[in-house]
Amino acid sequence: MSIFGTILSTIFGHAGAATPAAAQATAPAAPPPAAQAPAPAAPATPSAPVDVAAILTDLAAKAPQPLNWQQSIVDLMKLLGLDSSLAARKQLAGELHYTGDTNDSASMNVWLHKAVMQKLAENGGKVPDDLK
């Protein structure tokens, strides 16, 4: 799974929302009874927006160390239990089509944080405007 896919499924999983990957993993093994109409396909995004800020704030309150997820991609990744190394962030930058210099980690990190928040919003997350 991609790093962004892991970020998305981790946050949306805390909301109890089914992402396509989660829906596949939790699909019943037995087919529905013949008299019952088949269920519609799972939507690509949750039916109700997932409050990203509320989920991350709750996770941060339970974290063993203070993490500034609102501004730091490194802290956001740590909060979600992901590898926050430079190599992982460069991989995420590739996934999100970063066109800047990946050796300028400060600029890349700022861009990554905004891009992740924007992508979360595009995928059904409710993200405050100041984080996008």
Side-chain angles (χ1 to χ4, degrees):
M1 179 182 283
S2 70
I3 294 175
F4 178 75
T6 302
I7 291 170
L8 183 69
S9 65
T10 301
I11 293 171
F12 283 31
H14 280 282
T19 60
Q24 290 173 0
T26 60
Q36 187 179 20
T45 59
S47 56
V50 173
D51 191 340
V52 172
I55 292 166
L56 294 175
T57 298
D58 184 55
L59 288 173
K62 298 173 187 171
Q65 63 184 6
L67 295 169
N68 183 11
W69 66 266
Q70 298 94 332
Q71 295 178 330
S72 169
I73 189 67
V74 172
D75 283 0
L76 175 63
M77 293 172 81
K78 285 180 181 180
L79 183 62
L80 298 174
L82 302 175
D83 176 8
S84 62
S85 68
L86 180 58
R89 287 179 279 129
K90 283 183 177 184
Q91 181 180 342
L92 179 60
E95 290 174 18
L96 299 177
H97 309 291
Y98 179 62
T99 58
D101 181 4
T102 57
N103 292 316
D104 180 1
S105 64
S107 294
M108 180 181 71
N109 288 347
V110 170
W111 185 91
L112 278 174
H113 190 275
K114 288 196 177 295
V116 165
M117 291 298 158
Q118 183 61 45
K119 284 285 194 186
L120 287 169
E122 290 170 8
N123 283 279
K126 180 179 157 199
V127 179
D129 287 338
D130 63 330
L131 295 179
K132 293 189 256 179

